[in-house]
Amino acid sequence: MKAGRISLSICTAALVVSYGCHSSQPNGGSPGTAGANPASGEQAAAPAQQAPAPPPPPIVVRTGTDIRVTIDQDVSSKDSNVGDPVSASLAAPIVVDDSVVVPQGAKVSGKVTAAKSAGRFKGGAELAITLTSIDVGGKRYAIRTSTFSDAGKGRGKRTAEGAAIGAGAGALIGALAGHGKGAAIGAGAGGGAGVAGAALTGDRDVTVAAETQLDFSLARPLEIQQK
């Protein structure tokens, strides 16, 4: 009887110890996996990062679009050299699809592409200008345009005409005097006077004064990036 009680007590103690060991472990598996589950849930709950939206396509100003500018300073065939910069401003806005893409007054730059002074005895004055860039929204865009050009009448041709007129007038004076020799002398004298007068007066240099408006056209498309 006493031995039976001892055996019962031992079994009861074993059951208590076994229950305590099982209750000390967290529910849901081993200690290693218990800490990983909350982190996995947080990662799944975090919103996915979206890729940035692509920039809007550029506005294209087509080839052949007219560009009217106001020249800011005097440009003369006498004082200019090829490559000299020319400053200007947009005299009229540039419009694409009924929307102004470049406002009036935008800064425009150009350069001299030809400059020939009228001081040369042969050949007339010549001046040519083309545009090279335009400022839009604080950004400078390179452009390629048509060329404005102006040329004076050739001095060589002007001199020949002056000599012919002078010779004819001298011959007429000699003929009226009734002396053949006088006619020949008058022709020679008149011819010399004609050459001298043309060389001194000549054609004037080509000058584009400040505030003059000039028209150009785009020789290739201009792409303006939208903000």
Side-chain angles (χ1 to χ4, degrees):
M1 185 70 178
K2 185 176 182 180
R5 291 179 179 177
I6 294 173
S7 298
L8 181 60
S9 299
I10 293 173
C11 291
T12 302
L15 290 174
V16 171
V17 171
S18 176
Y19 177 78
C21 291
H22 285 287
S23 62
S24 62
Q25 295 181 359
N27 295 331
S30 63
T33 60
N37 289 336
S40 299
E42 292 177 0
Q43 292 177 358
Q49 293 184 354
Q50 296 181 354
I59 300 173
V60 179
V61 185
R62 298 179 181 86
T63 299
T65 300
D66 293 332
I67 300 179
R68 175 170 292 183
V69 301
T70 302
I71 302 299
D72 292 342
Q73 82 276 13
D74 293 346
V75 184
S76 173
S77 60
K78 180 179 180 180
D79 303 322
S80 299
N81 297 302
V82 174
D84 284 354
V86 177
S87 298
S89 59
L90 199 62
I94 298 177
V95 178
V96 174
D97 295 334
D98 298 327
S99 298
V100 175
V101 295
V102 186
Q104 180 179 351
K107 183 178 179 180
V108 182
S109 298
K111 67 178 180 180
V112 176
T113 57
K116 186 186 296 183
S117 174
R120 299 180 181 181
F121 187 78
K122 292 183 179 180
E126 182 181 0
L127 179 66
I129 300 171
T130 190
L131 303 181
T132 56
S133 67
I134 186 169
D135 290 358
V136 184
K139 184 177 180 179
R140 177 168 296 183
Y141 293 87
I143 58 175
R144 182 177 297 174
T145 69
S146 60
T147 300
F148 162 83
S149 61
D150 194 4
K153 190 176 181 180
R155 289 183 61 102
K157 184 177 180 181
R158 176 70 174 272
T159 298
E161 291 176 351
I165 294 173
L172 177 60
I173 294 173
L176 292 175
H179 304 286
K181 184 176 180 181
I185 295 174
V195 173
L200 291 175
T201 57
D203 291 333
R204 294 182 179 180
D205 285 288
V206 178
T207 300
V208 177
E211 302 301 324
T212 299
Q213 292 187 355
L214 300 179
D215 290 325
F216 299 84
S217 62
L218 280 178
R220 67 179 182 186
L222 167 63
E223 295 186 356
I224 301 175
Q225 187 61 51
Q226 300 186 63
K227 294 184 178 179

